[in-house]
């Protein structure tokens, strides 16, 4: 069941860019897996003071630089770098989700 859920994630699934477990590649690449793990930051962020939304945007920059410089053929990324930039991106997206949820909730409560 978990494998079927993971297949929903839009990912290239290239074995050379996947982490390996027991000699077999994971079903999604290292960057996508790390982004999904980064979404786990949503829960702790709910209990912390609200972080500025622009932190979430800034944390996307390392992944964008890593991904596009690799796509343009300027260099080849490594799985370690993909994991780090994926975690940062997942954290950044978590910040944006929590900020958006709090902002929307506050707006709804003030309107009603």
């Amino acid at each position: 069941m978990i494998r079927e859920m993971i297949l929903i994630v839009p990912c290239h699934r290239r074995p050379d860019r996947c982490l390996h477990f027991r000699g077999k590649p994971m079903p999604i690449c290292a960057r996508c897996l790390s982004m999904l793990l980064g979404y786990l930051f949503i829960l702790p962020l709910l209990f912390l003071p609200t972080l500025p939304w622009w932190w979430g945007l800034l944390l996307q920059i390392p992944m964008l630089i890593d991904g596009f410089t690799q796509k343009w053929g300027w260099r080849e990324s490594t799985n370690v770098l993909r994991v780090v930039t994926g975690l940062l991106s997942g954290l950044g997206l978590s910040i944006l989700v929590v900020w958006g949820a709090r902002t929307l909730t506050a707006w709804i409560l003030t309107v009603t």
Side-chain angles (χ1 to χ4, degrees):
M1 176 165 163
I2 292 176
R3 184 168 175 83
E4 289 80 16
M5 289 180 5
I6 288 176
L7 292 176
I8 295 171
V9 176
C11 176
H12 55 67
R13 293 175 174 77
R14 285 182 41 184
D16 60 318
R17 293 187 182 170
C18 293
L19 299 177
H20 288 70
F21 181 71
R22 295 184 180 170
K24 295 185 178 186
M26 302 283 284
I28 58 175
C29 74
R31 185 175 291 131
C32 291
L33 177 65
S34 299
M35 287 175 65
L36 291 174
L37 290 174
Y39 297 156
L40 296 175
F41 285 110
I42 288 176
L43 191 60
L45 287 172
L46 289 172
F47 297 101
L48 295 174
T50 304
L51 297 173
W53 62 268
W54 51 268
W55 283 21
L57 291 181
L58 285 177
L59 288 171
Q60 304 310 307
I61 294 172
M63 186 190 67
L64 291 170
I65 291 171
D66 182 42
F68 278 112
T69 56
Q70 178 175 293
K71 179 179 174 66
W72 294 331
W74 296 355
R75 61 182 192 77
E76 183 67 27
S77 186
T78 64
N79 275 346
V80 172
L81 190 54
R82 290 181 191 110
V83 167
V84 170
T85 59
L87 281 172
L88 290 174
S89 176
L91 171 61
L93 291 171
S94 296
I95 290 170
L96 290 172
V97 166
V98 170
W99 180 87
R102 287 182 175 168
T103 303
L104 185 60
T105 302
W107 180 77
I108 290 171
L109 293 176
T110 59
V111 171
T112 56

